[in-house]
């Protein structure tokens, strides 16, 4: 019994300490170096196949003042008349952000400007010919049509790709501003899309405001016809005047939703390259792979021997 116990305690283990790891790495340093260089090369080569983007951005400041045209006392009275259905709270910044990124607005913008193919079926841009490079397996750029019905993406797929790959919003809570940014293969299209999108969101929210104001007016006129109290009639009359003024001012206000602090510019250089990042990641992965590889090889040989 004691002999068996003694034999077991003398059996070699497969555990490695730091000293063993250092000795193994030193012994196989050339292999580690070669695999690391290979990882660097693969990372650099992979980065060259990434598409080149041109970025256009603009700085805007959402309108924080009340756009309804009703003074605070009038809003309180109108809220009381409607049983609290009309909210007098602000939240213009959050509302603007939600509307810009909403599926309703983005998809209407894409459909209005016929951008589905440029978003979903484009692989790059040729700066020599200034023409987009399309994936001809799903889209025919000559006849400007999809290869077949199955190749045409659903609107929600186009929306997700546009939001993921091309459009972004960076809020600055401290300064109460937003940076709208579009990156795309073609710099002129990135610039044009951002300009068109900023105009569309203004028109979109302006139209929504006009619809809401008309609904308020309709409600106020019905309430005015139904009441016989002179005090209430005077109050409702004042509210109607304010709503009419709001409707008139909305029609002439070009910067309805936000103020443009810094307009977009046409990019003449591509966005910062990701080649150094890919080279770094390739080198790190190559180094780690080499370390684990030589340790596994050394432990396997030790076990066999």
């Amino acid at each position: 019994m004691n002999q068996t116990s003694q034999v077991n305690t003398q059996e070699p283990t497969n555990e490695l300490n730091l000293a063993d790891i250092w000795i193994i790495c030193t012994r196989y340093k050339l292999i580690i170096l070669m695999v690391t260089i290979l990882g660097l090369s693969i990372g650099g080569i992979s980065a060259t196949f990434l598409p080149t983007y041109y970025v256009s951005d603009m700085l805007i400041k959402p309108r924080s003042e009340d756009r309804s045209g009703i003074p605070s006392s009038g809003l309180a009275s109108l809220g009381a008349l409607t049983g609290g259905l009309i909210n007098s709270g602000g939240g213009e910044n959050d509302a603007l952000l939600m509307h810009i990124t909403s599926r309703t607005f983005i998809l209407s913008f894409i459909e209005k400007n016929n951008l589905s193919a440029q978003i979903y079926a484009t692989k790059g841009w040729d700066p020599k010919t200034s023409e987009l490079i399309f994936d001809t397996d799903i889209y025919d750029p000559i006849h400007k049509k999809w290869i077949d019905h199955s190749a045409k993406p659903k609107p929600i797929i186009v929306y997700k790709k546009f939001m993921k790959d091309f459009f972004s919003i960076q809020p600055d809570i401290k300064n109460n501003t937003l940076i709208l940014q579009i990156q795309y293969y073609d710099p002129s299209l990135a610039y044009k899309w951002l300009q068109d999108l900023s105009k569309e969101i203004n028109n979109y929210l302006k139209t929504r405001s006009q619809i809401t104001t008309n609904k308020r007016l309709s409600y106020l006129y019905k309430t005015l016809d139904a009441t016989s109290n002179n005090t209430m009639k005077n109050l409702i009359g004042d509210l109607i005047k304010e709503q009419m003024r709001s409707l008139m001012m909305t029609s002439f206000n070009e910067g309805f939703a936000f103020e443009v602090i810094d307009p977009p510019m046409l990019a003449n250089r591509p966005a910062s390259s990701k080649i150094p990042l890919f080279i770094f990641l390739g080198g790190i992965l190559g180094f780690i792979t080499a370390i684990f590889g030589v340790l596994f090889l050394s432990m396997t040989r030790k076990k066999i021997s």
Side-chain angles (χ1 to χ4, degrees):
M1 186 71 178
N2 294 333
Q3 291 178 352
T4 305
S5 172
Q6 186 175 2
V7 171
N8 289 337
T9 57
Q10 293 177 353
E11 288 181 355
T13 63
N14 291 327
E15 295 181 0
L16 295 175
N17 54 35
L18 291 177
D20 294 333
I21 294 175
W22 174 256
I23 293 172
I24 293 172
C25 291
T26 304
R27 184 183 305 167
Y28 295 100
K29 59 184 178 182
L30 289 179
I31 295 178
I32 295 174
L33 179 61
M34 291 176 63
V35 175
T36 302
I37 293 175
L38 179 62
L40 291 170
S41 303
I42 293 175
I45 294 173
S46 300
T48 59
F49 289 97
L50 293 175
T52 300
Y53 290 112
Y54 292 82
V55 176
S56 184
D57 54 25
M58 66 185 301
L59 179 66
I60 64 172
K61 185 178 182 65
R63 300 286 186 185
S64 58
E65 69 271 14
D66 177 38
R67 294 190 293 263
S68 65
I70 312 174
S72 57
S73 59
L75 277 169
S77 302
L78 186 56
L81 283 173
T82 58
L85 293 177
I86 296 179
N87 183 11
S88 60
E92 289 84 359
N93 301 344
D94 294 337
L96 177 60
L97 188 62
M98 287 188 293
H99 283 303
I100 292 179
T101 58
S102 67
R103 291 191 296 265
T104 303
F105 170 68
I106 294 296
L107 288 177
S108 66
F109 172 75
I110 292 173
E111 183 178 358
K112 181 178 180 180
N113 295 277
N114 195 23
L115 303 179
S116 294
Q118 294 172 324
I119 293 172
Y120 188 78
T122 309
K123 299 190 298 182
W125 177 66
D126 188 350
K128 296 180 180 178
T129 60
S130 296
E131 293 182 353
L132 293 173
I133 303 172
F134 288 91
D135 184 354
T136 54
D137 292 334
I138 60 175
Y139 185 77
D140 182 0
I142 298 176
H143 299 92
K144 296 183 179 181
K145 65 178 183 179
W146 301 94
I147 297 299
D148 52 43
H149 180 73
S150 62
K152 185 177 181 179
K154 295 180 179 180
I156 188 63
I157 301 298
V158 179
Y159 166 81
K160 289 181 178 180
K161 184 171 179 60
F162 180 75
M163 297 300 296
K164 178 184 177 182
D165 295 344
F166 305 126
F167 182 50
S168 64
I169 301 179
Q170 302 172 17
D172 186 345
I173 300 176
K174 182 179 179 180
N175 296 317
N176 190 31
T177 57
L178 295 172
I179 297 177
L180 307 184
Q181 184 180 92
I182 285 186
Q183 62 171 21
Y184 194 62
Y185 314 111
D186 185 346
S188 60
L189 283 181
Y191 172 74
K192 183 179 184 301
W193 287 4
L194 190 56
Q195 278 193 320
D196 293 344
L197 189 140
S198 64
K199 293 178 182 177
E200 285 294 325
I201 191 61
N202 254 321
N203 294 333
Y204 175 76
L205 293 178
K206 182 186 293 186
T207 301
R208 286 177 59 93
S209 177
Q210 291 171 341
I211 292 173
T212 302
T213 303
N214 284 323
K215 288 181 178 179
R216 288 176 178 174
L217 284 170
S218 177
Y219 173 83
L220 289 172
Y221 280 126
K222 289 180 181 178
T223 306
L224 183 64
D225 293 338
T227 186
S228 58
N229 187 296
N230 290 330
T231 303
M232 289 296 295
K233 283 187 175 182
N234 291 333
L235 174 60
I236 295 173
D238 291 340
L239 292 175
I240 289 175
K241 290 179 183 179
E242 292 295 340
Q243 288 296 288
M244 292 296 294
R245 185 176 70 87
S246 173
L247 191 62
M248 183 174 61
M249 292 301 294
T250 299
S251 301
F252 292 100
N253 190 0
E254 293 184 0
F256 173 78
F258 53 81
E259 176 188 1
V260 178
I261 305 299
D262 195 3
M265 297 182 64
L266 182 64
N268 54 11
R269 291 182 180 180
S272 57
S273 175
K274 295 183 179 180
I275 292 180
L277 175 61
F278 271 72
I279 292 176
F280 174 76
L281 292 177
I284 292 294
L285 290 176
F287 178 77
I288 294 175
T289 302
I291 293 294
F292 279 99
V294 297
L295 290 177
F296 176 78
L297 179 63
S298 178
M299 292 179 66
T300 303
R301 288 182 175 179
K302 183 179 180 180
K303 187 175 181 180
I304 292 174
S305 61

